[in-house]
Amino acid sequence: MVSTTVDVHRAGRVAYRDAWAWQHARADDVRAGTAAEALAVLEHPPVYTCGRRSDPANLLASPERLAAQGIEVVDVERGGDVTYHGPGQLVAYPILDLRRRGIYPISFVRGLEQTLVSTLAALGVPAAPRKSLPGVWVGNDKIAALGVHVRGGVSMHGIALNLAPDLTAFEAIVPCGIHDGGITSVERYCGATPDHEAAKEAFITAFAQTFDVALRDVASDKALANGH
């Protein structure tokens, strides 16, 4: 029987497609019962990703123009619309067997939102979810995006928390397809650049508490960079 302990991968900057391939491989192994569940915490080079419900009109710059800047646009299977990932974000991908844990997908989303709220509180930022809009907000500004995919009871994708990214990158999209809100970051709210390692640890701690899981640190960067 596979352990109920969740492996934590504290990675650095990982190419989006490498991390995506790792998620698929790990989710397949979790479904097969040949690997433990996992949580990867990392950041990406600049990339725009489009979820399965994306409206092409929400990508305001052409893929060709973005490609000329060295920024890829990737269509993925997660829920939600278009979003941006880049340096200065805290990105987390939980690969959990929701079916075995008795967690419904909507409860999983609510749990991720609570994890983000707790993380931000530890950083001195009061945040909250908004009804019917996955993610976490500070007033009318979104500070963390959320999009997941569940197949065979196992989750993929996850969250992106704006610690201190270049917020002008969001000007090329209508973030998450939402027209009536802005984008902010911990840096903008606090007026100072946050400690990224402290934020990462706050998120990992809040995740363990929210989902009542035991965590185990494992070697990280090489596995994710190789996509397995």
Side-chain angles (χ1 to χ4, degrees):
M1 180 177 179
V2 175
S3 169
T4 58
T5 301
V6 175
D7 289 345
V8 178
H9 295 259
R10 289 174 172 83
R13 189 171 299 177
V14 180
Y16 185 85
R17 288 187 180 274
D18 289 342
W20 189 22
W22 173 85
Q23 290 182 72
H24 273 283
R26 190 57 173 254
D28 285 344
D29 289 344
V30 170
R31 275 188 291 270
T34 58
E37 298 160 299
L39 172 68
V41 185
L42 50 98
E43 72 174 15
H44 292 304
V47 62
Y48 294 97
T49 67
C50 301
R52 59 182 182 271
R53 297 189 183 90
S54 289
D55 182 345
N58 290 330
L59 185 64
L60 305 179
S62 70
E64 293 76 19
R65 175 184 160 193
L66 294 171
Q69 301 173 31
I71 305 175
E72 190 176 11
V73 178
V74 183
D75 293 319
V76 296
E77 67 274 71
R78 62 162 173 78
D81 208 293
V82 61
T83 195
Y84 167 77
H85 293 311
Q89 281 184 335
L90 186 160
V91 175
Y93 297 130
I95 312 297
L96 289 189
D97 190 337
L98 304 183
R99 182 176 296 166
R100 188 186 65 180
R101 292 184 177 276
I103 302 173
Y104 289 102
I106 188 62
S107 298
F108 179 56
V109 169
R110 297 289 91 85
L112 289 176
E113 289 174 335
Q114 181 54 54
T115 300
L116 286 164
V117 168
S118 298
T119 301
L120 286 161
L123 300 176
V125 180
R130 282 176 66 178
K131 188 176 181 181
S132 303
L133 293 174
V136 172
W137 302 70
V138 177
N140 201 44
D141 294 329
K142 196 168 193 178
I143 196 168
L146 191 160
V148 301
H149 175 67
V150 179
R151 184 169 71 84
V154 175
S155 67
M156 284 179 51
H157 299 284
I159 64 92
L161 170 59
N162 293 335
L163 296 177
D166 177 4
L167 295 178
T168 64
F170 289 93
E171 295 173 2
I173 61 174
V174 179
C176 303
I178 298 168
H179 293 267
D180 63 344
I183 296 292
T184 193
S185 66
V186 175
E187 180 179 57
R188 174 172 287 182
Y189 180 86
C190 295
T193 302
D195 183 323
H196 288 217
E197 288 304 311
K200 186 182 295 186
E201 294 310 311
F203 179 87
I204 291 169
T205 298
F207 180 86
Q209 292 172 344
T210 299
F211 291 100
D212 191 24
V213 297
L215 304 177
R216 174 177 59 195
D217 288 330
V218 295
S220 306
D221 291 285
K222 185 176 180 181
L224 268 73
N226 291 335
H228 60 73

